[in-house]
Amino acid sequence: MRKSSIFLWSITVEALLLAVFLAHAVFSTGAQQANLEEKAALVRKLKLTDLCLFTEARYTRHLSQADLNTAFQDHPLSLEHFPSGSFTLPPERLTRRP
Amino acid sequence: MRAWVEKQRYIIDFTLSSLIRRKVKNFGLLALYTLIVFILASAMFFTYSIKREASLILKGSPEIVVQRIKAGRHDLFPVRYLETLRKIRGVAAVEGRLWGYYYDGLAGANYTLLSPPTQQEAAEPAKPSAKTAVVEDEETEHHGVDASKPLFEHQGTALEPGTLIIGNGIARIRNIAKGEFMPFRAFDGTILNFRIAGTLSSQSELVSSDLMLIAEEDFRKLFGIESDYVTDVTVVVDNPSEIDTVASKITKLLPDARPIVRDEILRTYDSIFNWRGGMMIVIFSAAVLAFVIFAWDKASGLSAGERREIGILKAVGWETSDVIQMKFWEGAMISLTAFLTGVILAYIHVFFTGSLVFEPALKGWSNLYPHFALTPFINAEQLITLFFLTVVPYTVATIVPTWRAATIDPDSAMRHTGE
């Protein structure tokens, strides 16, 4: 088989695989609607406010409910030391100038 | 047309042979390039999906949460404040929330303890239309609730005093199941034993992994909170356009209160994993620097061997345009293969392996991390941007120096040896 044929076939196979994954994304989004609804219903029922992404500190567990002085809330000069702090930005209202 | 296609195929044949001659360099380049696309695409898929999922899930969160702030810190919310909030025009309902954290030394994890709203409060209240006068039936209002009904029920599991409904993450980390007992050390040092009445579903781990539902009286007994205090308050507003007005009225009436509106909650999760912040900027700047090095290496000129190759090709009759086409295919083959492989691997990584590579960083110091499968939300715009940021610059960077080399005399190109 010619080298160009091998290349063109491999690119075609990869493109088809990507198309299959994109189709999977579209169908999964529809199929997981019930699952999303279940989570949304639990949030509504229990009046939850945050995702359970970072459970290491109280101000990362409930990001939207954090104190206004988050960076120093444990004691003065208590700098942010949890790794999850590097994935999040401060809430917009704290950085917005009046 | 057929002749053109055949010509391109011959050029691709030749280009592949040329690439294979320098296989160590080119396979190394391809692997590194694929890795960069993989990291970028994984970060993109993960952040977009989690943001979309957060916006869909949290749309049911309370319209306004009111906290009490004392000396810059959260403080318990006095129940007497609730009456002040109820009197604000536009407020449909006000309800206290009881929640807090409990550190479990055995597991080394923090749990979120929450006393769920009672069944009759949790049910969606039938909101009367603002324009219609509604006559309330006193009989139903005061005696409609069945006294034998448990305070809270989740998927058939009743939450009664002395029992807990726990998140799946806690059940996993403590290896505990329904019917077993879990001891807690109360505020006064006494040990309280609670029976596990049930677990929350594993599908809901993204919101409930560390959650523990506990009856109100048990919560107060555990943390020593008097009945005239709650943790914070949720406010239901009839008209969504009045939420901000109600929030500003709350601040005016209760100066020590801090209202957090739902939009702010949603925006918090919209800015999470933002490319401008912390770890994300490290990932992106590393990828951008790697691309700059690639492009610099290509654009700064050809090696003596490549220059000699071009000289020989021109001497045996290749046109300048043929040489440029050959180099175009070289750039396109490497970048296209790296792009497709990187994106496919990133999709598998994020949506089938639960972001295995990112997991240690995301877990941080937490022992209790939710197991969740993200819904694959794909943003075509981001994929196209990634394509234009990776494939196009590399291909162009390959062509430019070749064009310069291909336009000079073959004789002088071949004399510039040195390999």
Side-chain angles (χ1 to χ4, degrees), chain B residues 194-259:
Chain B
F194 295 110
R195 186 176 53 83
I196 310 298
T199 52
L200 297 164
S201 73
S202 58
Q203 282 86 13
S204 67
E205 272 203 47
L206 189 55
V207 288
S208 70
S209 184
D210 71 336
L211 212 57
M212 244 176 202
L213 305 182
I214 183 170
E216 182 180 337
E217 59 176 274
D218 291 336
F219 186 91
R220 292 190 186 279
K221 216 186 291 174
L222 186 63
F223 294 112
I225 296 175
E226 300 295 327
S227 60
D228 43 2
Y229 285 98
V230 287
T231 310
D232 55 21
V233 163
T234 59
V235 176
V236 180
V237 180
D238 267 338
N239 183 354
S241 63
E242 282 180 0
I243 291 177
D244 287 335
T245 319
V246 171
S248 62
K249 278 183 188 168
I250 292 171
T251 323
K252 208 175 277 179
L253 286 169
L254 303 170
D256 58 344
R258 174 196 174 207

Side-chain angles (χ1 to χ4, degrees), chain A residues 2-5 7-8 10-11 13-15 17-18 21-22 24-26 28-29 32-33 35-40 42-69 72-75 81-94 96, chain B residues 6 9-10 12-13 16-17 53-54 57-58 60-62 65 67 72-74 95 97 99 101 112 116-117 124 152-154 201 203-204 206-211 234 258 260 264-265 267-269 272-274 277-279 333 337 340-341 343-344 347-348 352 361-366 368-370 375-378:
Chain A
R2 281 172 68 175
K3 286 191 179 85
S4 58
S5 304
F7 167 71
L8 291 172
S10 68
I11 286 291
V13 168
E14 281 199 313
L17 202 57
L18 185 61
F21 280 138
L22 293 180
H24 170 263
V26 172
S28 311
T29 310
Q32 290 198 24
Q33 210 56 41
N35 188 2
L36 282 171
E37 280 303 320
E38 186 195 331
K39 282 182 256 190
L42 194 68
V43 165
R44 205 172 302 118
K45 190 174 178 182
L46 298 176
K47 296 181 183 290
L48 304 177
T49 52
D50 288 84
L51 298 186
C52 177
L53 271 178
F54 312 115
T55 57
E56 50 200 14
R58 64 180 183 277
Y59 50 88
T60 57
R61 170 63 180 90
H62 290 98
L63 286 168
S64 71
Q65 310 295 300
D67 281 0
L68 294 167
N69 55 342
F72 303 104
Q73 75 173 338
D74 287 333
H75 60 81
H81 57 281
F82 287 114
S84 52
S86 59
F87 288 104
T88 59
L89 284 178
E92 201 184 308
R93 64 182 183 282
L94 296 186
R96 194 174 47 210
Chain B
E6 260 321 293
R9 287 194 65 183
Y10 279 119
I12 293 173
D13 284 338
L16 276 169
S17 302
E53 192 143 346
I57 294 172
L58 295 176
S61 57
V65 175
Q67 300 172 337
R73 285 164 171 265
H74 295 165
E95 194 195 330
R97 286 199 309 173
W99 64 278
Y101 301 107
T112 302
E124 283 287 317
F152 181 82
E153 205 175 277
H154 180 74
S201 73
Q203 282 86 13
S204 67
L206 189 55
V207 288
S208 70
S209 184
D210 71 336
L211 212 57
T234 59
R258 174 196 174 207
I260 300 167
E264 286 174 340
I265 295 172
R267 278 207 299 272
T268 302
Y269 284 90
I272 196 173
F273 304 113
N274 194 297
M279 199 70 90
M333 277 192 286
T337 309
L340 288 171
T341 315
V343 171
I344 288 168
Y347 190 93
I348 295 170
F352 292 112
L362 289 169
K363 271 183 178 170
W365 290 11
S366 51
L368 181 54
Y369 189 72
T375 307
F377 291 110
I378 300 288

Side-chain angles (χ1 to χ4, degrees), chain B residues 371-388:
Chain B
H371 288 181
F372 57 90
L374 279 175
T375 307
F377 291 110
I378 300 288
N379 185 354
E381 197 183 306
Q382 283 185 327
L383 266 185
I384 293 165
T385 311
L386 187 65
F387 179 84
F388 279 101

Side-chain angles (χ1 to χ4, degrees), chain B residues 33-55:
Chain B
Y33 200 157
T34 306
L35 187 69
I36 291 169
V37 175
F38 166 75
I39 294 289
L40 277 178
S42 295
M44 209 175 71
F45 286 152
F46 183 84
T47 54
Y48 185 72
S49 295
I50 198 100
K51 283 181 186 183
R52 277 291 303 273
E53 192 143 346
S55 72

